[in-house]
């Protein structure tokens, strides 16, 4: 019985010693790996024994020349014929025919030269609201109306967002959103309208005098989207706000209104710019034109030439 107990005690002590040895070995491996990951790898220089030198490879900072994108805009011209509609002219309907030439320095930054011309003018585009106002006025009064003419702008183009949508799982549509900010020149035709009845007995508006041109400095603010149909053609939709300032005759109070009525029925905003007329009451306003445009953009050079050129550098 004593021999059996002694053998069992020796067996338990041996197993305990093996467990302690195993735990110590695992702990040593974990600590070695931890120090190995925490410090960079080193090697000993053969010429100078005992010197430690780093062997970590430098980061690869070479830029990616061609991204995996359906459409590349960098170093391409965008030629865009457009049709526009001015929505906030209360007295006249306005349709613009124009074009834009945009050079894209990168996929996000470009510069645009834009020009447009208003096709409608005279009394052919007068809205029913103008006729209603003329009907209420004294027959000796004239209604001042403006028709936009030529507009040219130079704008900075920023394209921060490029994306894709897959409606109903049918086709992938590539979209590019952009913003515009620039300056420009515009002119408008100032018309003085009078009330009349035509030969058919219908009320109409007539020009009381020859129209005159008003010149303006403009600020152009806008945003839009390009929908890429192919790698050389996209559909372009944008909205633009043309902001300016101008002096107009002031009819806000009785004194100013009486002063301006003494100038005659044909006095208008151009009277404020006439230095020969001193007895007038004018005020500064900040008119704007809100335009919706739609067009198609043609891109040159072609996509293949752009990708081949980008892969050379």
């Amino acid at each position: 019985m004593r021999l059996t107990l002694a053998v069992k005690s020796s067996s338990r002590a041996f197993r305990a010693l093996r467990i302690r040895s195993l735990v110590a070995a695992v702990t040593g491996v974990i600590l070695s790996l931890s120090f190995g990951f925490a410090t960079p790898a080193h090697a000993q220089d053969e010429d100078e024994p005992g010197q430690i030198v780093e062997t970590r490879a430098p980061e690869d900072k070479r830029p990616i020349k061609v991204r995996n994108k359906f459409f590349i805009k960098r170093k391409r011209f965008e030629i865009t014929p457009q049709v526009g509609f001015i929505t906030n002219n209360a007295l006249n309907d306005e349709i613009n025919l124009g074009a834009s030439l945009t050079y894209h320095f990168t996929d996000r930054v470009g510069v645009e030269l834009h020009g447009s011309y208003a096709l409608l003018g005279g009394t052919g585009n007068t809205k029913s609201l103008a006729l209603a106002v003329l009907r209420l006025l004294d027959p000796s009064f004239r209604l001042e109306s403006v028709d936009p003419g030529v507009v040219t702008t130079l704008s900075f183009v920023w394209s921060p967002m490029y994306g894709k949508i897959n409606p109903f799982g049918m086709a992938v549509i590539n979209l590019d959103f952009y913003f515009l900010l620039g300056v420009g020149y515009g002119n408008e035709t100032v018309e003085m309208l009078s009330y009349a009845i035509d030969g058919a007995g219908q009320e109409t508006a007539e020009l009381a005098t020859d129209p005159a041109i008003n010149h303006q400095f403009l600020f152009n603010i806008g945003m839009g989207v390009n929908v890429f149909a192919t790698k050389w053609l996209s559909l372009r939709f944008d909205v633009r706000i043309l902001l300016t300032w101008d002096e107009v005759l002031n009819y806000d109070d009785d004194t100013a209104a009486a002063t301006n009525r003494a100038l005659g029925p044909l006095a208008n905003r151009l009277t404020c710019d006439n230095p020969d007329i001193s007895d007038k009451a004018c005020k500064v306003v900040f008119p704007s034109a809100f335009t919706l445009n739609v067009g198609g953009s043609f891109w040159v050079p072609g996509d293949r030439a752009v990708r081949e050129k980008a892969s050379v550098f």
Side-chain angles (χ1 to χ4, degrees):
M1 179 65 66
R2 293 178 180 177
L3 179 60
T4 302
L5 292 175
V7 171
K8 290 182 178 179
S9 299
S10 300
S11 177
R12 292 194 190 98
F14 180 72
R15 284 199 298 269
L17 179 61
R18 290 183 60 185
I19 293 174
R20 286 195 295 270
S21 301
L22 181 60
V23 172
V26 172
T27 304
V29 172
I30 293 175
L31 291 175
S32 300
L33 292 176
S34 299
F35 284 111
F37 285 121
T39 58
H42 294 82
Q44 185 172 342
D45 195 338
E46 296 180 357
D47 297 333
E48 298 181 11
Q51 182 180 359
I52 303 299
V53 295
E54 294 189 0
T55 60
R56 179 178 295 171
E59 296 181 359
D60 187 1
K61 298 183 179 180
R62 292 175 297 176
I64 300 175
K65 296 301 182 184
V66 180
R67 298 180 179 178
N68 185 22
K69 293 178 62 176
F70 173 78
F71 205 90
I72 294 179
K73 299 189 299 180
R74 182 174 180 266
K75 294 186 178 181
R76 298 181 76 179
F77 286 95
E78 180 185 2
I79 305 170
T80 312
Q82 287 180 305
V83 176
F85 177 68
I86 299 177
T87 63
N88 64 331
N89 192 320
L91 301 181
N92 296 312
D93 293 316
E94 302 294 347
I95 296 178
N96 291 337
L97 183 63
S100 299
L101 176 64
T102 308
Y103 180 74
H104 297 270
F105 298 99
T106 67
D107 279 351
R108 292 191 175 185
V109 176
V111 61
E112 178 205 73
L113 178 62
H114 175 81
S116 66
Y117 177 74
L119 300 178
L120 305 179
T123 59
N125 62 333
T126 303
K127 292 183 177 180
S128 57
L129 177 61
L131 294 176
V133 174
L134 285 171
R135 190 186 309 121
L136 297 175
L137 290 178
D138 186 280
S140 62
F141 291 168
R142 300 294 179 262
L143 177 64
E144 180 182 343
S145 174
V146 293
D147 271 325
V150 175
V151 172
T152 59
T153 59
L154 182 65
S155 302
F156 169 78
V157 181
W158 180 45
S159 306
M161 294 176 287
Y162 172 87
K164 300 179 182 180
I165 60 175
N166 185 15
F168 309 108
M170 299 176 60
V172 177
I173 299 177
N174 294 268
L175 304 174
D176 180 56
F177 297 91
Y178 61 90
F179 297 89
L180 300 166
L181 179 63
V183 296
Y185 160 82
N187 62 39
E188 61 185 7
T189 302
V190 181
E191 303 168 344
M192 302 302 294
L193 304 178
S194 61
Y195 183 79
I197 302 295
D198 61 15
Q202 301 293 327
E203 60 180 6
T204 183
E206 289 185 348
L207 292 176
T209 184
D210 292 334
I213 302 298
N214 186 28
H215 303 277
Q216 297 175 321
F217 178 83
L218 304 174
F219 290 100
N220 178 38
I221 303 173
M223 63 177 297
V225 60
N226 262 314
V227 181
F228 299 111
T230 68
K231 293 187 177 182
W232 59 270
L233 175 65
S234 63
L235 301 178
R236 180 169 172 172
F237 307 89
D238 66 40
V239 295
R240 298 167 185 257
I241 302 177
L242 299 175
L243 303 173
T244 187
W245 66 91
D246 202 0
E247 275 194 306
V248 299
L249 294 176
N250 184 9
Y251 292 92
D252 293 343
D253 57 78
D254 294 339
T255 302
T259 300
N260 291 330
R261 290 193 183 101
L263 299 174
L266 298 181
N268 54 49
R269 66 186 61 199
L270 295 178
T271 305
C272 295
D273 300 327
N274 191 344
D276 297 331
I277 301 177
S278 57
D279 193 11
K280 56 192 175 184
C282 298
K283 65 178 181 178
V284 177
V285 295
F286 300 91
S288 63
F290 188 85
T291 308
L292 302 176
N293 297 299
V294 59
S297 293
F298 301 91
W299 296 77
V300 291
D303 180 78
R304 178 179 298 180
V306 172
R307 291 179 185 270
E308 290 178 352
K309 184 177 180 180
S311 63
V312 172
F313 297 96

